[in-house]
Amino acid sequence: MDSSNALGEYLRARREQVRPEDVGLRRVGVRRVPGLRREEVAMLAGISSDYYLRLEQGRDRHPSVQVLEALADVLRLDADATAYLVGLVQEQPRAVPKRQRPRTEPVPESIRELIDGWPNNPAYVQNKYTDVVAVNALGAALTPNYAVGVNLLTAVLLDPAEQALRRDWDELTEEGVAVLRSELGSAVDDPRLVELVGELSVRSERFRQLWARHDVRPRRGRLSLLTHPDVGDLELKSDKLTIGGTDGMTLVVFHAVPGSRSVESLALLGSLVASSDQTDETTEQRDQTPRPSD
């Protein structure tokens, strides 16, 4: 990640993903670059080639919103990606010193009480880096990676068991990387982000490919397709709710569509959790019962 030229990196990555025919240009001769040429982007956006080159090279860091919107149109960006592009040139708060570790933020007690009171809805809380910071019993039963301290993006990308669980693994990893980039914007000097991106870049080819695309998406609910080892296939809708008063914490709660087979499967999983809890409680009580002396 190059914190000095976030705008240029983004423009170049998106330019390489637009084909000439996508924007009405004829493909003539051999093209040495993927996607559009710089001069083609400049022509279609109504700016000079020299000015666009300065933008990509980081020699001009303050284009107008009108210029950015014109570029977004040429690069076929949707509303979320356009907002991200505009945000890259807005003044950013002073970066956290690289040697300073981010402070661990506590999960609001009311949120812990809330999710623990949901016996039929798996739920967990994650921070903006996708670290799990709280989870209820049914959530933990969906996957061992729904556990406090686990980084979900790392787990999904690197844990073979997680890939086997997720029937929609390709879509999920694509979305997860795009959401991470969207949420953190141009804060590429964040020490936790540098650490996470560095680790995944070394260990995951899938991550390297997706991160290089510079895709951005907002965090939103989705339909998760799981094949659970104990209860079989599950189709669970998730809602992702921002927790106010925190630094980017998100509450993720799952539910099955009423009347679907997944309702029964989720209920079965809940009964297995309850049975396991009862067994653990009985064992604990037996261990604590005083035994008569010989």
Side-chain angles (χ1 to χ4, degrees):
M1 296 179 298
D2 181 4
S3 60
S4 65
N5 190 22
L7 174 63
E9 283 192 352
Y10 187 65
L11 290 174
R12 182 170 57 255
R14 302 313 302 177
R15 171 171 62 83
E16 292 176 350
Q17 296 178 53
V18 180
R19 300 174 301 174
E21 51 267 36
D22 293 336
V23 291
L25 297 178
R26 292 180 57 191
R27 184 184 289 271
V28 180
V30 177
R31 300 179 68 89
R32 298 179 180 179
V33 297
L36 296 177
R37 300 185 177 103
R38 291 190 182 96
E39 57 268 26
E40 291 170 337
V41 175
M43 177 190 68
L44 292 169
I47 60 178
S48 72
S49 296
D50 180 67
Y51 181 52
Y52 180 76
L53 178 61
R54 295 203 308 271
L55 291 177
E56 272 205 10
Q57 292 181 341
R59 292 187 287 122
D60 190 316
R61 300 170 185 271
H62 301 287
S64 68
V65 173
Q66 290 77 13
V67 166
L68 293 174
E69 289 178 343
L71 290 171
D73 186 57
V74 173
L75 299 176
R76 304 171 66 85
L77 303 184
D78 61 18
D80 296 318
T82 300
Y84 176 85
L85 173 63
V86 173
L88 288 178
V89 303
Q90 295 176 345
E91 185 176 354
Q92 299 294 327
R94 185 173 62 86
V96 178
K98 291 186 177 182
R99 293 185 179 181
Q100 179 178 330
R101 298 286 299 181
R103 178 177 60 86
T104 301
E105 182 180 18
V107 179
E109 187 62 29
S110 60
I111 296 297
R112 292 183 183 276
E113 294 170 352
L114 179 66
I115 65 176
D116 286 343
W118 289 338
N120 302 316
N121 295 96
Y124 66 89
V125 178
Q126 67 179 31
N127 61 21
K128 61 186 179 182
Y129 308 105
T130 73
D131 299 319
V132 177
V133 292
V135 61
N136 67 8
L138 193 54
L142 282 180
T143 166
N145 285 313
Y146 286 157
V148 174
V150 172
N151 181 266
L152 290 180
L153 187 57
T154 300
V156 168
L157 285 165
L158 300 179
D159 187 347
E162 197 70 26
Q163 184 170 356
L165 173 71
R166 311 278 182 173
R167 304 200 305 277
D168 55 352
W169 185 83
D170 287 342
E171 177 185 330
L172 178 64
T173 52
E174 181 178 326
E175 178 180 310
V177 174
V179 168
L180 180 68
R181 185 177 285 281
S182 178
E183 289 213 343
L184 295 171
S186 60
V188 292
D189 284 328
D190 184 307
R192 174 67 177 116
L193 174 62
V194 171
E195 178 184 49
L196 178 60
V197 172
E199 176 188 3
L200 290 175
S201 295
V202 170
R203 301 179 63 190
S204 171
E205 173 65 22
R206 173 71 171 166
F207 179 83
R208 289 195 295 273
Q209 294 173 348
L210 293 174
W211 190 253
R213 288 177 54 88
H214 285 247
D215 290 336
V216 293
R217 296 186 193 179
R219 192 179 300 281
R220 57 166 64 102
R222 65 188 309 273
L223 179 65
S224 294
L225 306 179
L226 311 176
T227 299
H228 194 277
D230 294 326
V231 300
D233 288 351
L234 287 165
E235 295 186 4
L236 301 178
K237 288 187 174 181
S238 67
D239 289 295
K240 300 182 179 181
L241 312 173
T242 300
I243 301 175
T246 67
D247 184 19
M249 282 190 187
T250 301
L251 169 60
V252 182
V253 55
F254 297 92
H255 73 277
V257 175
S260 68
R261 181 179 178 181
S262 291
V263 172
E264 299 176 1
S265 298
L266 194 58
L268 174 58
L269 183 61
S271 67
L272 294 175
V273 171
S275 176
S276 176
D277 289 344
Q278 183 63 40
T279 299
D280 291 343
E281 182 179 347
T282 301
T283 300
E284 182 179 354
Q285 291 175 348
R286 183 175 63 247
D287 291 343
Q288 294 178 351
T289 301
R291 298 181 180 181
S293 57
D294 292 337

